[in-house]
């Protein structure tokens, strides 16, 4: 089947890309989706307690103000089922379903240079040909199950949170082992503990978490959102992480300790990711960060009654928010329950899984169910799972062997007319994702429209621009504490053999948007087209610098 544009994925990004290309540019566009429903992340991540850490009024599309006004979120943070309902509503409201093929996994895509088309293969045997290929596959969609010896021998059941069974898992009367204390493990532990006979949490790296303070939304707040759509959007676009609040313009180190403590206490009571915005220097100054870290560790020790457990949970080895900061509902309180135990894997690592359960260096833990909340082959995994072959037989695996290389996180050299939505090298996972997604999709759509107006049929980034952008991404990371955590998935450290490169652009969403806007306004310097409108090298230099 021949189309103008083929989109891989029908989550937040794939659906919006389909809408923009089809309805705004009049292109024949088609989205291929492996699942048997739309929703991407929210289709797959059905684990107990799955909920978004972004506030619901900001975790939605903003391209259509009517859509914002008509959808009613029920809670401060939307749960998985509600987000999936929302995305299905979007699919229906904009009549996207006729142009989405479900249960169709893209397995391979090869660029045919003479024809200037992408030839795409799927697991259903169907073949597609498209001028543009848009990978809207998500940065956190390739599940990472650690290669623990003996796992196949386990006599119970095991599950990864990102591939959760649709029928759910009944923990009643079961001994459950949970591996992983990232955002996901911290969300699901309290919920599993409510129904399991016993929950054993296997902690490798202790983690910070801020109380989410989730609550039902009242009519007054919903009314406020309906009346302030434009203002809310403006704040999200001006903010570092795409959230509907700005970082306070004050320094933690310059604030007197009593005053600082009162600010932290208020932020703790308010809850959520807003805590991180209490001071402007938490992520750039170790001394400032220490004040936040100290405050949170003291709260953990206050909440957790058993001093030995409190010590293990608060023995955190990295700066606050230098790994993705989780938010929770009664996570630390869960360790006060009689049916919950905590295993410190730093003291005694997992050795193997045996038929009866998990054996660490010093004990055997009998289990009926193991839950892996062990994260994802983040940012690159989902792209690399597809056998993508660009010009001259270059595969994406080869091109990214030493780490992802691209320009603006949007285009890879040697892969003409391939666009990656929220790819590595863009703010992506550091941003409230719908904001990052809308910005990328709009940029791609505008670029294609610009090409069509000028008769260009092919675009890819110049090597020089890619080098410059990689340097910009590295410099942005180096200006923060983020690359200082050796075991962070932002660096690819959670997947054995993965190159250690800081992957997301850490210069902030607002700055990134300005760079992308500048590139577009200058006629796409750094990108090479097959029509005579190439930008000058001088322009190339200015637009992509940090
Ligand atoms: O995954 P993670 P996640 N043995 O990689 C541990 C998004 N998200 O699914 O830190 C023992 O952060 C690992 O330990 P360590 C969000 O962007 C969004 O929790 O590597 N432990 C860590 O504790 C988030 O950041 C929402 O030492 C092992 C955990 O598993 C991203 O998803 C909600 C291990 C993995 O933590 C990923 O979060 C939830 C092993 N072999 C999540 N291997 C929203 O709000 C790994 N671990 C939208």
């Amino acid at each position: 089947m021949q189309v103008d544009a083929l989109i891989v994925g029908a989550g937040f990004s794939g659906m919006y890309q389909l809408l923009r290309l089809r309805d705004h540019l009049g292109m024949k566009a088609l989205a291929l989706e492996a699942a048997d429903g739309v929703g991407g992340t929210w289709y797959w991540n059905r684990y107990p307690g799955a909920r978004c850490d972004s506030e619901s009024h900001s975790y939605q599309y903003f391209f259509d103000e009517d859509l914002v006004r008509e959808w009613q979120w029920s809670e401060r943070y939307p749960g998985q089922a509600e987000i999936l309902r929302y995305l299905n509503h979007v699919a229906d409201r904009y009549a996207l379903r006729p142009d989405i093929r479900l249960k169709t996994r893209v397995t391979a895509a090869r660029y045919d240079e003479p024809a200037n088309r992408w030839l795409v293969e799927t697991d259903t045997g169907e073949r597609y040909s498209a001028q543009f290929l848009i990978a809207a596959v998500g940065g956190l969609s390739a599940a990472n199950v650690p290669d623990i010896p003996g796992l196949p021998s386990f006599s119970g059941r095991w599950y990864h949170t990102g591939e959760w069974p649709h029928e759910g898992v009944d923990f009643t009367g079961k001994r459950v082992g949970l591996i992983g204390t990232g955002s996901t493990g911290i969300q699901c532990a309290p919920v599993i503990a409510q129904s399991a006979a016993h929950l054993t949490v296997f902690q490798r790296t202790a983690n910070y978490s801020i109380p989410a303070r989730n609550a039902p939304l009242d009519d007054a707040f919903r009314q406020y959102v309906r009346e302030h759509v434009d203002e809310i959007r403006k704040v999200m676009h001006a903010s570092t992480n795409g959230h509907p609040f700005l970082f306070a313009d004050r320094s933690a180190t310059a604030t007197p300790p009593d005053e600082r403590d009162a600010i932290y206490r208020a932020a703790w009571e308010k809850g959520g990711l807003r805590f991180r915005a209490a001071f402007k220097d938490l992520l750039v100054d170790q001394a400032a960060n220490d004040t936040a870290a100290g405050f949170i560790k003291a709260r953990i020790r206050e909440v957790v009654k058993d001093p030995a457990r409190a010590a293990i949970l608060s023995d955190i080895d990295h700066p606050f928010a230098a790994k993705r900061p989780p938010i929770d509902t009664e996570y630390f309180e869960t360790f006060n329950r009689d049916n919950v135990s905590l295993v410190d894997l730093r003291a005694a690592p997992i050795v193997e899984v045996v038929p009866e359960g998990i054996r660490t260096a010093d004990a055997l833990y009998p289990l009926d169910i193991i839950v892996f909340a062990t994260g994802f082959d983040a940012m690159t995994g989902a792209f690399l799972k597809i056998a993508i072959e660009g010009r001259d037989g270059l595969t994406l695996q080869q091109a990214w062997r030493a780490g992802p290389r691209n320009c603006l996180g949007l285009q890879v050299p040697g892969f003409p007319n391939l666009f990656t939505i929220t790819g590595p090298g863009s703010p992506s996972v550091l941003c409230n994702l719908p904001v990052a997604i809308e910005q990328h999709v709009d940029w791609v759509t505008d670029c294609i429209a610009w090409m069509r107006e000028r008769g260009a049929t092919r675009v890819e980034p110049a090597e020089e621009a890619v080098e410059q952008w990689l340097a910009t991404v590295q410099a942005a990371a180096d200006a923060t504490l983020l690359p200082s955590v050796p075991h962070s998935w932002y660096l690819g450290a959670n997947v054995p053999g993965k190159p250690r490169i800081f992957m997301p652009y850490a210069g902030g969403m607002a700055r990134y948007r300005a760079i992308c806007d500048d590139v577009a306004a200058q006629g796409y310097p750094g990108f090479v087209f097959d029509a005579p409108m190439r930008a000058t090298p001088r322009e190339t230099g200015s637009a992509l610098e940090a």
Side-chain angles (χ1 to χ4, degrees), residues 59 209 267 281 288 293 295 358 382 479 545:
Y59 197 79
S209 184
D281 47 357
F295 178 86
I358 291 178
E545 275 167 13

Side-chain angles (χ1 to χ4, degrees), residues 41-42 45 47 51-54 59 140 144 146-148 160-161 179-187 202-205 207 323-324 345-346 350 373-376 429 433 487-490 494:
T41 283
W42 301 105
N45 282 266
Y47 59 85
R51 187 175 289 287
C52 185
D53 292 344
S54 296
Y59 197 79
L140 296 163
N144 174 40
D147 189 13
I148 301 176
H160 186 280
T161 49
I179 304 179
T181 51
S183 302
T184 303
I186 282 176
Q187 282 188 338
F202 293 85
Q203 173 189 284
R204 187 165 70 181
T205 304
N207 214 341
K323 292 177 92 170
R324 160 71 150 73
L345 297 179
R346 287 278 166 95
I350 292 176
T374 44
F376 302 91
V429 293
L433 270 160
H487 45 69
S488 164
W489 59 256
Y490 292 155
N494 63 330

Side-chain angles (χ1 to χ4, degrees), residues 183-200:
S183 302
T184 303
I186 282 176
Q187 282 188 338
C188 61
V191 185
I192 295 175
Q194 281 166 22
S195 59
H198 194 89
L199 172 67
T200 305

